[in-house]
Amino acid sequence: DVERSRGLGDVYKRQLHGWTDEDLRRRYRFGKHGIDFLTNLLKNDLERHTHTLSVQQQVLLTLRFYASGSFLQIIVDTLGM
């Protein structure tokens, strides 16, 4: 749902702008510049597939999944459970 994805977007914006590169690397295995690079690299391919999540949200969710190896950890971090 679009409203929920907007809330998710706010979470990711706060993380990208509020966390240090070290914090980002701990969670995503990439710093801000790496995340921006991947977002720009994949933008044309990912924009066509969904209108619910932004390209940056898709990249961050994927990186978090690969970095953690557990989708449950992503849910816990995202929803604050």
Side-chain angles (χ1 to χ4, degrees), residues 15-80:
Q15 289 176 355
L16 283 177
H17 298 292
W19 289 355
T20 65
D21 253 15
E22 184 180 325
D23 290 332
L24 291 171
R25 287 180 196 284
R26 198 173 310 129
R27 287 173 176 80
Y28 299 105
R29 303 296 188 249
F30 285 86
K32 177 149 180 21
H33 293 294
I35 292 168
D36 288 342
F37 174 80
L38 288 172
T39 300
N40 290 327
L41 180 70
L42 298 169
K43 185 175 185 170
N44 290 334
D45 293 320
L46 295 178
E47 280 180 333
R48 292 180 271 175
H49 295 291
T50 180
H51 297 286
T52 305
L53 296 174
S54 72
V55 172
Q56 188 175 59
Q57 288 171 326
Q58 293 175 69
V59 168
L60 289 172
L61 283 169
T62 302
L63 289 176
R64 185 71 170 123
F65 175 76
Y66 290 146
S68 71
S70 170
F71 192 70
L72 293 177
Q73 185 64 44
I74 296 169
I75 294 169
V76 169
D77 285 351
T78 303
L79 299 179

